[in-house]
């Protein structure tokens, strides 16, 4: 009944039919979203916009601009094509899986404010660079309708999160600060008093310890990336939409000094640690890493052969003092036996002993 009346441009018919669709006050646990557009012709950008609009609620109603509005649009914008009647555009939009219902606008001007007033949804969603007109915004403010802008396949601009670990390069020498737009001379750059502040890491992602901020090209700030992905999980694609989160974190490192030692857990241990101590282990994922040098860079990878390590321990008394006698003897035994498992065990003992040495031992 509702869809039959929806094709009629008589406002009374639309209004009566809508009341049969909207949840009554006693059952307002549902969130009704209204989107609008000409959809002439319908393309993937529209589909993406409508999918994200549906993600913002439980029901999606689409207002399709009528033929009078399309004719006015042609007059205002000669490059706008007006080839498909509104009735056909309504049918086409209604055929999309994400759309619960579609109606033709009853408005005489270029807005959908009158239709919006009759539908009285919870959310009014606009795609891409479109915003509510002044009349539409006034209706939304009057009726308490939330306005949501910037939906669709339009690329979102991420403001990265920066980490200031002690080993990072000073601000004006750091690629991290440069990429984040926080060096001297950058728009909105930091105070000169922070010139020596270390800029160690730039994070682009939705890690709970430092999610990126999100801004649309039209300048609308929509909070952090976590909120954006939860609100519009379809942007992640079919495989990741249910999770609603990125499976990786992109980082840029700008290193002045040796980094702290880290031991990354495997997937099973990471999930368990996150469950047991979420305040300490915020990420339930394991951390395999791919590193790409953006500039000339030197790094250590792995350990020297155990025989070489033993030679260095025996030749350098200071190193032997922090490795300790038991570990040194274990290295000698492993080298003599040639057993790989014994070498691994001896290497683990020597490294653990050295890393646990007291400050007093290291200073001697």
């Amino acid at each position: 009944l509702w869809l039959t009346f929806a094709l009629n441009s008589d406002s009374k018919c639309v209004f009566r039919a809508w009341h049969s669709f909207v949840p009554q006050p006693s059952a307002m646990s549902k969130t009704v979203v209204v989107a609008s557009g000409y959809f002439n012709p319908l393309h993937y950008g529209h589909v993406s916009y409508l999918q994200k609009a549906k993600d913002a609620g439980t029901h999606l109603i689409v207002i399709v601009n009528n033929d009078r509005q399309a004719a006015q649009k042609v007059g205002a914008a000669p490059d706008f094509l007006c080839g498909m009647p509104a009735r056909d555009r309504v049918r086409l939009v209604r055929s999309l899986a994400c759309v619960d219902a579609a109606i033709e606008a009853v408005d005489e001007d270029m807005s959908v404010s009158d239709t919006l007033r009759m539908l009285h949804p919870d959310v009014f969603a606009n795609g891409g660079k479109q915003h509510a007109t002044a009349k539409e915004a006034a209706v939304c403010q009057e009726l308490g309708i939330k306005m949501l802008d910037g939906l669709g396949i339009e690329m979102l601009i991420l403001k990265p999160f920066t980490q200031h670990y002690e080993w990072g390069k000073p601000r004006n020498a750091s690629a991290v600060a440069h990429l984040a737009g926080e060096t001297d001379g950058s728009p909105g750059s930091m105070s000169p008093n922070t010139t020596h502040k270390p800029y160690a890491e730039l994070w682009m992602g939705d890690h709970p310890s430092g999610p990126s901020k999100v801004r649309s090209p039209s300048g609308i700030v929509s909070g952090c990336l976590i909120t954006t992905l939860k609100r519009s999980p379809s942007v992640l694609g079919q495989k990741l939409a249910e999770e609603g989160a990125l499976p990786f974190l992109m980082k840029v490192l700008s290193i002045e000094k040796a980094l702290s030692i880290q031991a990354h857990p495997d997937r099973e241990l990471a999930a368990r640690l996150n469950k047991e101590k979420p305040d300490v282990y915020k990420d339930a994922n394991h951390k395999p890493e791919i590193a790409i040098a953006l500039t000339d860079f030197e790094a250590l990878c792995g350990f020297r052969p155990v025989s070489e390590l033993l030679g260095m321990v025996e030749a350098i008394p200071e190193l032997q003092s922090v490795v300790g006698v038991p570990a040194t003897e274990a290295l000698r035994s492993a080298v003599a036996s040639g057993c790989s498992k014994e070498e691994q065990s001896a290497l683990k003992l020597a490294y653990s002993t050295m890393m646990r040495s007291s400050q007093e031992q290291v200073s001697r």
Side-chain angles (χ1 to χ4, degrees):
L1 175 63
W2 185 83
L3 292 178
T4 302
F5 279 116
L7 293 175
N8 194 321
S9 61
D10 186 327
S11 60
K12 292 182 180 179
C13 292
V14 175
F15 183 75
R16 285 172 49 203
W18 170 243
H19 269 282
S20 68
F21 180 87
V22 154
Q24 295 305 305
S26 61
M28 289 301 288
S29 59
K30 298 179 180 179
T31 301
V32 177
V33 181
V34 161
S36 67
Y38 288 87
F39 309 103
N40 188 25
L42 181 69
H43 55 71
Y44 181 69
H46 294 138
V47 176
S48 176
Y49 154 47
L50 296 178
Q51 286 175 333
K52 291 175 178 59
K54 178 60 176 288
D55 289 338
T58 57
H59 291 80
L60 175 62
I61 313 302
V62 180
I63 302 173
V64 178
N65 292 91
N66 58 48
D67 291 332
R68 294 186 300 277
Q69 292 172 313
Q72 294 179 59
K73 181 87 170 177
V74 171
D79 60 339
F80 181 81
L81 300 177
C82 185
M84 185 179 295
R87 181 181 295 268
D88 292 339
R89 287 183 277 128
V90 168
R91 289 171 175 167
L92 191 59
V93 169
R94 191 191 303 152
S95 68
L96 297 175
C98 61
V99 175
D100 294 290
I103 66 170
E104 184 179 335
V106 300
D107 300 76
E108 298 289 340
D109 59 12
M110 299 295 283
S111 76
V112 294
S113 57
D114 291 340
T115 315
L116 194 62
R117 180 182 292 279
M118 289 187 299
L119 299 182
H120 196 163
D122 300 292
V123 180
F124 180 42
N126 282 282
K129 296 182 180 180
Q130 301 300 316
H131 303 287
T133 66
K135 287 184 66 176
E136 292 164 351
V139 170
C140 290
Q141 184 175 6
E142 177 189 344
L143 301 180
I145 301 169
K146 178 181 177 181
M147 290 184 289
L148 188 61
D149 295 327
L151 301 183
I153 62 171
E154 186 176 34
M155 185 176 293
L156 297 176
I157 299 172
L158 298 184
K159 170 66 175 176
F161 185 86
T162 54
Q163 295 282 17
H164 305 280
Y165 303 130
E166 191 269 339
W167 49 261
K169 285 189 175 182
R171 177 162 62 88
N172 286 335
S174 173
V176 166
H178 177 75
L179 292 172
E182 297 183 11
T183 53
D184 287 346
S186 302
S189 60
M190 306 292 287
S191 164
N193 296 330
T194 64
T195 298
H196 300 291
K197 182 178 182 179
Y199 275 70
E201 295 187 3
L202 176 147
W203 290 12
M204 294 284 277
D206 60 345
H207 194 286
S209 294
S212 298
K213 299 291 184 182
V214 177
R215 179 171 63 85
S216 70
S218 53
I220 302 299
V221 178
S222 58
C224 72
L225 187 57
I226 294 175
T227 304
T228 300
L229 297 181
K230 294 297 182 186
R231 186 181 65 225
S232 302
S234 59
V235 73
L236 293 168
Q238 186 175 356
K239 289 185 177 180
L240 298 176
E242 185 175 346
E243 187 72 20
L246 290 171
F248 62 88
L249 175 64
M250 195 201 85
K251 296 182 181 182
V252 177
L253 278 62
S254 194
I255 302 168
E256 179 79 0
K257 309 173 188 176
L259 278 66
S260 56
I261 300 298
Q262 297 182 3
H264 289 179
D266 59 22
R267 185 186 293 273
E268 183 179 348
L269 179 58
R272 179 164 61 83
L273 291 173
N274 175 255
K275 184 176 181 180
E276 293 174 354
K277 299 179 180 179
D279 55 326
V280 178
Y281 299 97
K282 301 181 185 298
D283 194 341
N285 293 306
H286 60 324
K287 295 178 174 59
E289 296 183 344
I290 298 175
I292 301 173
L294 301 180
T295 61
D296 291 340
F297 187 78
E298 294 183 0
L300 301 177
C301 181
F303 292 93
R304 294 174 180 267
V306 174
S307 58
E308 287 188 25
L309 291 175
L310 176 60
M312 295 176 68
V313 169
E314 292 178 333
I316 305 173
E318 294 84 358
L319 179 58
Q320 189 172 14
S321 68
V322 293
V323 169
V325 175
T328 301
E329 291 301 323
L331 290 172
R332 288 195 183 103
S333 175
V335 170
S337 70
C339 175
S340 60
K341 287 188 177 180
E342 190 174 343
E343 287 184 349
Q344 286 184 345
S345 179
L347 180 59
K348 181 178 179 180
L349 176 60
Y351 185 73
S352 299
T353 303
M354 182 178 69
M355 295 303 296
R356 290 187 172 92
S357 297
S358 66
Q359 185 63 41
E360 182 182 354
Q361 289 176 295
V362 174
S363 302
R364 283 189 304 204

